[in-house]
Amino acid sequence: MNQSFPTTITVNEKEYKREVEPRLLLSDFLRHELGLTGTHVGCEHGVCGACTILFDGESMRSCLIFAVQADGHAITTVEGLAKDKDDLHPIQQAFWEAHGLQCGYCTPGILMTLIPFLKQNPNPTEDDIRHALSGNLCRCTGYQHIVDAVKLASEKMK
Amino acid sequence: MKPAPFEYHSPTSLEQALEIKAQYGDDAKLLAGGQSLVPAMNFRIVQPGMLIDLNRVNELSYIHEEKNTLRIGAMTRERHLEFDSSIAKRTPLLHEAAPFIAHPQIRNRGTIGGSIVNADPAAELPVLMLALDARLKAQNKSGERWIKAEDFFVGMFTTALEPDEILVEIELPFMRPRTGWSFMEIAPRAGDYALMGVAALVTLNENGRCDSAKLVYLNAGDGPVDAKETAKSLEGNLLGDALIESAAVTAGEKEINPFGNVHTSPEFQRHLAKVLTKNALKQSMRRAEENKQ
């Protein structure tokens, strides 16, 4: 039972071809095969949200998808947000300015949750924001500065 | 942790999937959205020898209307239940309850069929299937059969499916006229497992009396709990405060059998069930009055 599958995945608009064992999680594929360590691994059972990525544009847990299942699909990770370090995505810039992070472990997952959220809700209320963040755990901030950052981001993106 | 090794199949048609299932039966586990199965595999609580991934079986993903029923393919993502206009119009209870299923990141991947077959007593979809009088289509290599929701859930994480069968379609009757609905649950945090929840439907007759009622509870026993005696006590009557109060007591004290968990005692769950029953019945009744056509 030593299967491996040729798998082609587009990550941040770049195509990668690898042979993968079926049990390899997409989160580990991104980190260990591609060296894209921006996607963090917290709980590995879908609760903490640190590994959230975009799968064909929709936010999903990369620890609950096998890499082989992403064959032929397009993934966006946190590395795909900023053009370079001096040209951050408005959501990243807002997190910087509003102190939306402390240790930063949860941040990539939160950013990837917010990309589709702010697209679908360009004018979110505080309630909407807190609801949207309910699938991502942060143990440092108490969330207040994250909520502030999301408000700031929604203003920047108008 | 990481999952144990397994053999992987990724059929691109239902026919191929049924062929593999016929050959391997219970040795082959179906992978739908994987939002419950993959966590269990990561923890090695389950170590299936083989996975049949249904994510490339595109023919199982659809929502359409046919002869007063809604037909939903088993691989339809939960997120689509939330935004589909047919569901909102024909089965507003399902539309209202869908956002309570975990978080958007989970609903984007999780499927209606996967959650039904997982038969978690704390999950929303099994409860909704019972409340909505769903019929579930099971298929194997040699044919198909329809199973009523009330016969489908046979115990904790256990269904009536045979080892060679795949759940392929969910059939929901359109909501009747003069019917109101309500879905309510109490969870420590949005998207978490609810401590208690209820799906309610109330149909009024022309005189404003209750023609039929349905109350189904989650996290209230070893499967979705249909409070039949409570529903029966409402039928033929005007739903006044005293009757609603006594219905809440029957449901909360007699019909449900909650176990409690680290977040709650069974007593608190019974208390929540009573409060939710009252609120859900009142909301359903109001909506039934507005929905007279």
Side-chain angles (χ1 to χ4, degrees):
Chain A
M1 198 167 40
N2 222 342
Q3 282 179 304
S4 77
F5 290 83
T7 300
T8 305
I9 307 179
T10 303
V11 181
N12 302 331
E13 295 175 358
K14 195 173 156 199
E15 198 178 276
Y16 296 89
K17 287 181 200 290
R18 295 287 189 278
E19 292 273 327
V20 303
E21 204 188 339
R23 66 169 167 155
L24 181 69
L25 299 171
L26 180 57
S27 44
D28 289 335
F29 174 85
L30 295 169
R31 293 175 57 84
H32 305 314
E33 293 288 325
L34 306 187
L36 295 172
T37 52
T39 299
H40 291 171
V41 171
C43 69
E44 281 194 334
H45 62 287
V47 172
C48 77
C51 70
T52 305
I53 47 89
L54 303 186
F55 188 106
D56 295 337
E58 296 185 314
S59 59
M60 291 183 196
R61 309 291 202 219
S62 61
C63 76
L64 300 186
I65 299 173
F66 296 111
V68 64
Q69 297 186 281
D71 182 36
H73 292 277
I75 306 298
T76 309
T77 69
V78 71
E79 288 92 342
L81 295 186
K83 289 187 201 84
D84 65 66
K85 68 180 170 49
D86 299 318
D87 188 9
L88 296 180
H89 187 284
I91 302 182
Q92 291 173 307
Q93 187 66 34
F95 267 66
W96 187 342
E97 290 171 20
H99 306 289
L101 62 144
Q102 284 177 220
C103 87
Y105 201 88
C106 66
T107 312
I110 290 183
L111 296 175
M112 301 321 286
T113 292
L114 291 171
I115 298 282
F117 169 72
L118 284 174
K119 229 177 248 171
Q120 288 153 15
N121 304 275
N123 297 301
T125 63
E126 176 163 346
D127 235 28
D128 296 337
I129 294 169
R130 288 186 181 273
H131 204 267
L133 291 171
S134 67
N136 293 81
L137 294 179
C138 170
R139 299 291 79 159
C140 303
T141 62
Y143 300 98
Q144 187 54 51
H145 287 188
I146 299 180
V147 174
D148 295 344
V150 183
K151 281 188 202 151
L152 182 60
S154 74
E155 280 156 29
K156 282 180 185 289
M157 289 167 77
K158 268 174 200 160
Chain B
M1 271 172 67
K2 312 296 173 188
F6 54 85
E7 195 181 320
Y8 177 77
H9 292 269
S10 184
T12 52
S13 71
L14 177 59
E15 198 187 335
Q16 287 170 14
L18 291 167
E19 187 67 46
I20 306 168
K21 197 75 175 112
Q23 205 177 334
Y24 296 98
D26 271 341
D27 294 336
K29 191 101 177 118
L30 297 169
L31 173 59
Q35 302 299 285
S36 299
L37 177 59
V38 180
M41 289 176 68
N42 286 356
F43 275 133
R44 302 206 181 188
I45 295 167
V46 293
Q47 301 189 17
M50 180 188 296
L51 287 188
I52 306 173
D53 184 355
L54 296 177
N55 283 280
R56 293 183 201 273
V57 183
N58 297 331
E59 66 199 277
L60 290 181
S61 182
Y62 55 86
I63 301 171
H64 64 247
E65 298 187 10
E66 196 183 309
K67 288 188 246 160
N68 295 322
T69 61
L70 212 52
R71 306 293 178 107
I72 306 175
M75 282 297 290
T76 303
R77 308 283 172 195
E78 289 161 336
R79 189 73 162 154
H80 293 157
L81 307 177
E82 209 175 327
F83 296 109
D84 183 79
S85 56
S86 284
I87 289 182
K89 188 169 174 213
R90 303 303 189 183
T91 55
L93 175 64
L94 180 56
H95 172 75
E96 182 164 284
F100 287 94
I101 304 167
H103 305 284
Q105 300 94 320
I106 304 293
R107 295 198 292 280
N108 278 335
R109 187 76 183 164
T111 65
I112 181 170
S115 177
I116 291 170
V117 170
N118 192 44
D120 185 334
E124 288 82 3
L125 280 164
V127 162
L128 292 161
M129 292 304 106
L130 229 59
L132 293 164
D133 275 328
R135 292 202 312 151
L136 306 166
K137 184 161 123 184
Q139 205 167 322
N140 66 11
K141 214 180 125 186
S142 46
E144 61 180 56
R145 65 180 175 128
W146 286 94
I147 309 169
K148 285 189 201 160
E150 61 177 15
D151 300 324
F152 188 81
F153 300 103
V154 298
M156 197 164 286
F157 298 104
T158 312
T159 72
L161 284 180
E162 296 293 334
D164 64 344
E165 286 179 323
I166 298 178
L167 171 65
V168 295
E169 188 177 80
I170 292 93
E171 181 202 77
L172 304 173
F174 289 174
M175 192 177 75
R176 295 162 62 197
R178 289 193 301 274
T179 301
W181 68 95
S182 182
F183 185 86
M184 293 182 178
E185 64 173 45
I186 303 286
R189 202 167 47 117
D192 283 1
Y193 280 111
L195 307 178
M196 179 52 61
V198 64
L201 284 168
V202 170
T203 303
L204 299 177
N205 66 23
E206 274 141 20
N207 308 319
R209 287 173 182 271
C210 174
D211 184 64
S212 66
K214 195 103 185 167
L215 288 158
V216 188
Y217 296 81
L218 63 81
N219 213 355
D222 58 11
V225 177
D226 187 353
K228 288 184 177 165
E229 195 185 321
T230 309
K232 198 136 197 74
S233 75
L234 303 171
E235 285 170 18
N237 292 311
L238 284 169
L239 300 185
D241 284 350
L243 184 59
I244 287 177
E245 186 72 38
S246 82
V249 171
T250 312
E253 287 178 10
K254 281 176 70 182
E255 293 211 80
I256 63 169
N257 182 29
F259 309 131
N261 60 34
V262 67
H263 300 292
T264 177
S265 64
E267 292 73 29
F268 186 57
Q269 286 178 294
R270 288 183 190 279
H271 166 74
L272 290 177
K274 285 186 237 176
V275 175
L276 292 178
T277 302
K278 281 189 265 190
N279 292 344
L281 280 176
K282 285 177 187 167
Q283 185 176 48
S284 302
M285 203 168 67
R286 256 197 325 275
R287 285 172 166 170
E289 281 161 359
E290 288 161 8
N291 185 17
K292 273 184 186 134
Q293 73 283 3

mmCIF file of all heavy atoms in Angstrom, chain B residues 42 56 58-59 84 88 92 98 100-101 110 114 120 125 131 145-146 180 183 188 199 203 207 226 240 243 277 282 293:
data_model
loop_
_atom_site.group_PDB
_atom_site.id
_atom_site.type_symbol
_atom_site.label_atom_id
_atom_site.label_comp_id
_atom_site.label_asym_id
_atom_site.label_seq_id
_atom_site.Cartn_x
_atom_site.Cartn_y
_atom_site.Cartn_z
ATOM 1 N N ASN B 42 -7.017 12.182 11.325
ATOM 2 C CA ASN B 42 -5.814 12.862 11.839
ATOM 3 C C ASN B 42 -5.516 12.434 13.273
ATOM 4 O O ASN B 42 -4.360 12.318 13.670
ATOM 5 C CB ASN B 42 -5.995 14.382 11.782
ATOM 6 C CG ASN B 42 -5.908 14.934 10.364
ATOM 7 O OD1 ASN B 42 -5.632 14.195 9.419
ATOM 8 N ND2 ASN B 42 -6.164 16.212 10.208
ATOM 9 N N ARG B 56 -14.872 14.069 -7.021
ATOM 10 C CA ARG B 56 -14.839 14.248 -8.479
ATOM 11 C C ARG B 56 -16.066 13.644 -9.164
ATOM 12 O O ARG B 56 -16.130 13.564 -10.393
ATOM 13 C CB ARG B 56 -13.532 13.686 -9.052
ATOM 14 C CG ARG B 56 -12.343 14.519 -8.593
ATOM 15 C CD ARG B 56 -11.012 14.098 -9.162
ATOM 16 N NE ARG B 56 -9.931 14.603 -8.314
ATOM 17 C CZ ARG B 56 -9.385 15.820 -8.440
ATOM 18 N NH1 ARG B 56 -9.801 16.654 -9.364
ATOM 19 N NH2 ARG B 56 -8.418 16.196 -7.619
ATOM 20 N N ASN B 58 -19.067 14.613 -10.097
ATOM 21 C CA ASN B 58 -19.800 15.878 -10.218
ATOM 22 C C ASN B 58 -21.306 15.690 -10.321
ATOM 23 O O ASN B 58 -22.073 16.578 -9.980
ATOM 24 C CB ASN B 58 -19.300 16.667 -11.430
ATOM 25 C CG ASN B 58 -17.843 17.058 -11.263
ATOM 26 O OD1 ASN B 58 -17.364 17.236 -10.146
ATOM 27 N ND2 ASN B 58 -17.122 17.147 -12.371
ATOM 28 N N GLU B 59 -21.730 14.518 -10.801
ATOM 29 C CA GLU B 59 -23.172 14.292 -10.994
ATOM 30 C C GLU B 59 -23.941 14.273 -9.675
ATOM 31 O O GLU B 59 -25.173 14.279 -9.688
ATOM 32 C CB GLU B 59 -23.404 12.982 -11.768
ATOM 33 C CG GLU B 59 -22.986 11.754 -10.998
ATOM 34 C CD GLU B 59 -22.781 10.516 -11.884
ATOM 35 O OE1 GLU B 59 -23.766 9.852 -12.190
ATOM 36 O OE2 GLU B 59 -21.613 10.233 -12.262
ATOM 37 N N ASP B 84 -29.069 29.092 -1.827
ATOM 38 C CA ASP B 84 -29.887 28.666 -2.953
ATOM 39 C C ASP B 84 -31.306 29.238 -2.840
ATOM 40 O O ASP B 84 -31.946 29.119 -1.791
ATOM 41 C CB ASP B 84 -29.938 27.135 -2.996
ATOM 42 C CG ASP B 84 -30.725 26.648 -4.189
ATOM 43 O OD1 ASP B 84 -30.165 26.644 -5.293
ATOM 44 O OD2 ASP B 84 -31.917 26.307 -4.021
ATOM 45 N N ALA B 88 -34.546 28.510 -0.151
ATOM 46 C CA ALA B 88 -35.114 29.603 0.640
ATOM 47 C C ALA B 88 -36.627 29.654 0.467
ATOM 48 O O ALA B 88 -37.366 29.911 1.415
ATOM 49 C CB ALA B 88 -34.476 30.923 0.227
ATOM 50 N N PRO B 92 -37.924 26.886 3.768
ATOM 51 C CA PRO B 92 -37.262 27.977 4.506
ATOM 52 C C PRO B 92 -36.618 27.519 5.813
ATOM 53 O O PRO B 92 -35.663 28.146 6.274
ATOM 54 C CB PRO B 92 -38.386 28.986 4.748
ATOM 55 C CG PRO B 92 -39.658 28.331 4.364
ATOM 56 C CD PRO B 92 -39.340 27.186 3.465
ATOM 57 N N ALA B 98 -29.169 26.498 7.865
ATOM 58 C CA ALA B 98 -27.856 26.218 7.248
ATOM 59 C C ALA B 98 -26.713 27.042 7.860
ATOM 60 O O ALA B 98 -25.636 26.495 8.105
ATOM 61 C CB ALA B 98 -27.934 26.410 5.735
ATOM 62 N N PHE B 100 -26.164 27.816 10.752
ATOM 63 C CA PHE B 100 -25.787 27.288 12.072
ATOM 64 C C PHE B 100 -24.818 26.104 11.964
ATOM 65 O O PHE B 100 -24.271 25.656 12.967
ATOM 66 C CB PHE B 100 -27.026 26.840 12.852
ATOM 67 C CG PHE B 100 -27.867 27.980 13.373
ATOM 68 C CD1 PHE B 100 -28.949 28.448 12.653
ATOM 69 C CD2 PHE B 100 -27.558 28.580 14.590
ATOM 70 C CE1 PHE B 100 -29.729 29.500 13.128
ATOM 71 C CE2 PHE B 100 -28.327 29.632 15.075
ATOM 72 C CZ PHE B 100 -29.414 30.088 14.346
ATOM 73 N N ILE B 101 -24.660 25.555 10.754
ATOM 74 C CA ILE B 101 -23.777 24.394 10.579
ATOM 75 C C ILE B 101 -22.329 24.879 10.604
ATOM 76 O O ILE B 101 -21.867 25.527 9.666
ATOM 77 C CB ILE B 101 -24.072 23.671 9.250
ATOM 78 C CG1 ILE B 101 -25.536 23.254 9.156
ATOM 79 C CG2 ILE B 101 -23.143 22.472 9.080
ATOM 80 C CD1 ILE B 101 -25.965 22.821 7.760
ATOM 81 N N GLY B 110 -17.838 20.945 3.457
ATOM 82 C CA GLY B 110 -18.740 19.901 3.957
ATOM 83 C C GLY B 110 -19.958 19.744 3.051
ATOM 84 O O GLY B 110 -20.399 20.693 2.414
ATOM 85 N N GLY B 114 -22.739 13.986 3.377
ATOM 86 C CA GLY B 114 -21.723 13.568 4.338
ATOM 87 C C GLY B 114 -22.207 13.745 5.769
ATOM 88 O O GLY B 114 -22.047 12.855 6.609
ATOM 89 N N ASP B 120 -24.291 12.331 13.316
ATOM 90 C CA ASP B 120 -23.887 12.845 14.624
ATOM 91 C C ASP B 120 -25.134 13.417 15.311
ATOM 92 O O ASP B 120 -25.802 14.281 14.756
ATOM 93 C CB ASP B 120 -22.836 13.944 14.395
ATOM 94 C CG ASP B 120 -22.240 14.474 15.695
ATOM 95 O OD1 ASP B 120 -22.920 14.390 16.743
ATOM 96 O OD2 ASP B 120 -21.107 14.976 15.654
ATOM 97 N N LEU B 125 -28.030 18.744 10.326
ATOM 98 C CA LEU B 125 -28.715 18.181 9.148
ATOM 99 C C LEU B 125 -29.561 16.941 9.438
ATOM 100 O O LEU B 125 -30.671 16.833 8.915
ATOM 101 C CB LEU B 125 -27.710 17.940 8.004
ATOM 102 C CG LEU B 125 -27.384 19.231 7.242
ATOM 103 C CD1 LEU B 125 -26.131 19.067 6.397
ATOM 104 C CD2 LEU B 125 -28.557 19.672 6.361
ATOM 105 N N ALA B 131 -37.214 16.654 10.561
ATOM 106 C CA ALA B 131 -38.229 17.714 10.641
ATOM 107 C C ALA B 131 -38.897 17.930 9.290
ATOM 108 O O ALA B 131 -40.089 18.210 9.220
ATOM 109 C CB ALA B 131 -37.588 19.003 11.143
ATOM 110 N N ARG B 145 -32.987 2.367 -3.528
ATOM 111 C CA ARG B 145 -34.158 2.325 -2.663
ATOM 112 C C ARG B 145 -34.263 3.665 -1.939
ATOM 113 O O ARG B 145 -33.266 4.369 -1.750
ATOM 114 C CB ARG B 145 -34.082 1.169 -1.659
ATOM 115 C CG ARG B 145 -32.949 1.295 -0.658
ATOM 116 C CD ARG B 145 -32.917 0.114 0.316
ATOM 117 N NE ARG B 145 -31.750 0.228 1.182
ATOM 118 C CZ ARG B 145 -31.791 0.174 2.517
ATOM 119 N NH1 ARG B 145 -32.938 0.005 3.144
ATOM 120 N NH2 ARG B 145 -30.678 0.286 3.225
ATOM 121 N N TRP B 146 -35.506 3.996 -1.560
ATOM 122 C CA TRP B 146 -35.757 5.235 -0.836
ATOM 123 C C TRP B 146 -35.974 4.903 0.627
ATOM 124 O O TRP B 146 -36.723 3.987 0.952
ATOM 125 C CB TRP B 146 -36.987 5.945 -1.391
ATOM 126 C CG TRP B 146 -36.723 6.598 -2.712
ATOM 127 C CD1 TRP B 146 -36.953 6.061 -3.948
ATOM 128 C CD2 TRP B 146 -36.191 7.908 -2.931
ATOM 129 N NE1 TRP B 146 -36.584 6.968 -4.924
ATOM 130 C CE2 TRP B 146 -36.113 8.101 -4.323
ATOM 131 C CE3 TRP B 146 -35.752 8.934 -2.070
ATOM 132 C CZ2 TRP B 146 -35.630 9.290 -4.882
ATOM 133 C CZ3 TRP B 146 -35.271 10.110 -2.637
ATOM 134 C CH2 TRP B 146 -35.215 10.277 -4.027
ATOM 135 N N GLY B 180 -45.515 27.535 9.446
ATOM 136 C CA GLY B 180 -44.424 28.369 9.938
ATOM 137 C C GLY B 180 -43.279 27.495 10.413
ATOM 138 O O GLY B 180 -43.471 26.312 10.718
ATOM 139 N N PHE B 183 -35.829 27.556 13.573
ATOM 140 C CA PHE B 183 -34.661 26.779 13.974
ATOM 141 C C PHE B 183 -33.898 27.585 15.002
ATOM 142 O O PHE B 183 -33.544 28.742 14.759
ATOM 143 C CB PHE B 183 -33.744 26.455 12.789
ATOM 144 C CG PHE B 183 -32.614 25.561 13.205
ATOM 145 C CD1 PHE B 183 -32.781 24.185 13.228
ATOM 146 C CD2 PHE B 183 -31.411 26.094 13.639
ATOM 147 C CE1 PHE B 183 -31.759 23.347 13.675
ATOM 148 C CE2 PHE B 183 -30.391 25.270 14.082
ATOM 149 C CZ PHE B 183 -30.565 23.888 14.100
ATOM 150 N N PRO B 188 -21.958 27.657 22.776
ATOM 151 C CA PRO B 188 -21.077 28.547 23.532
ATOM 152 C C PRO B 188 -20.516 29.668 22.645
ATOM 153 O O PRO B 188 -20.263 30.768 23.097
ATOM 154 C CB PRO B 188 -19.947 27.639 24.011
ATOM 155 C CG PRO B 188 -20.460 26.250 23.890
ATOM 156 C CD PRO B 188 -21.510 26.260 22.820
ATOM 157 N N ALA B 199 -35.592 22.130 15.764
ATOM 158 C CA ALA B 199 -36.200 22.517 14.489
ATOM 159 C C ALA B 199 -37.698 22.320 14.649
ATOM 160 O O ALA B 199 -38.141 21.248 15.079
ATOM 161 C CB ALA B 199 -35.672 21.644 13.363
ATOM 162 N N THR B 203 -48.200 23.781 11.218
ATOM 163 C CA THR B 203 -49.182 24.077 10.173
ATOM 164 C C THR B 203 -50.515 24.360 10.856
ATOM 165 O O THR B 203 -50.962 23.569 11.699
ATOM 166 C CB THR B 203 -49.315 22.884 9.208
ATOM 167 O OG1 THR B 203 -48.027 22.596 8.667
ATOM 168 C CG2 THR B 203 -50.278 23.217 8.057
ATOM 169 N N ASN B 207 -59.124 27.548 10.692
ATOM 170 C CA ASN B 207 -59.633 28.205 11.894
ATOM 171 C C ASN B 207 -58.529 28.679 12.835
ATOM 172 O O ASN B 207 -58.802 29.080 13.965
ATOM 173 C CB ASN B 207 -60.555 27.250 12.666
ATOM 174 C CG ASN B 207 -61.627 26.676 11.764
ATOM 175 O OD1 ASN B 207 -62.185 27.407 10.947
ATOM 176 N ND2 ASN B 207 -61.888 25.383 11.880
ATOM 177 N N ASP B 226 -37.223 13.125 17.701
ATOM 178 C CA ASP B 226 -38.513 13.615 17.222
ATOM 179 C C ASP B 226 -39.503 13.550 18.397
ATOM 180 O O ASP B 226 -39.853 12.461 18.853
ATOM 181 C CB ASP B 226 -38.977 12.708 16.069
ATOM 182 C CG ASP B 226 -40.227 13.229 15.390
ATOM 183 O OD1 ASP B 226 -40.813 14.214 15.875
ATOM 184 O OD2 ASP B 226 -40.627 12.631 14.367
ATOM 185 N N GLY B 240 -52.270 28.395 22.581
ATOM 186 C CA GLY B 240 -52.213 29.437 23.607
ATOM 187 C C GLY B 240 -50.999 29.247 24.507
ATOM 188 O O GLY B 240 -50.300 28.222 24.424
ATOM 189 N N LEU B 243 -50.883 25.975 26.687
ATOM 190 C CA LEU B 243 -50.592 24.760 25.927
ATOM 191 C C LEU B 243 -49.111 24.712 25.523
ATOM 192 O O LEU B 243 -48.453 23.665 25.620
ATOM 193 C CB LEU B 243 -51.495 24.692 24.681
ATOM 194 C CG LEU B 243 -51.369 23.424 23.843
ATOM 195 C CD1 LEU B 243 -51.699 22.180 24.678
ATOM 196 C CD2 LEU B 243 -52.275 23.489 22.621
ATOM 197 N N THR B 277 -38.180 25.369 22.985
ATOM 198 C CA THR B 277 -39.463 24.865 22.495
ATOM 199 C C THR B 277 -40.489 25.993 22.482
ATOM 200 O O THR B 277 -41.198 26.197 21.486
ATOM 201 C CB THR B 277 -39.972 23.718 23.396
ATOM 202 O OG1 THR B 277 -38.977 22.690 23.408
ATOM 203 C CG2 THR B 277 -41.292 23.146 22.890
ATOM 204 N N LYS B 282 -43.624 29.677 19.240
ATOM 205 C CA LYS B 282 -44.209 31.006 19.039
ATOM 206 C C LYS B 282 -43.785 31.597 17.701
ATOM 207 O O LYS B 282 -44.605 32.164 16.978
ATOM 208 C CB LYS B 282 -43.819 31.939 20.194
ATOM 209 C CG LYS B 282 -44.605 31.617 21.468
ATOM 210 C CD LYS B 282 -44.187 32.481 22.625
ATOM 211 C CE LYS B 282 -44.887 31.995 23.901
ATOM 212 N NZ LYS B 282 -44.306 32.591 25.111
ATOM 213 N N GLN B 293 -51.396 31.810 2.312
ATOM 214 C CA GLN B 293 -51.893 31.514 0.960
ATOM 215 C C GLN B 293 -52.145 30.034 0.712
ATOM 216 O O GLN B 293 -51.379 29.205 1.072
ATOM 217 C CB GLN B 293 -50.953 32.091 -0.124
ATOM 218 C CG GLN B 293 -49.615 31.374 -0.332
ATOM 219 C CD GLN B 293 -48.591 31.710 0.747
ATOM 220 O OE1 GLN B 293 -48.873 32.429 1.683
ATOM 221 N NE2 GLN B 293 -47.398 31.154 0.635
#
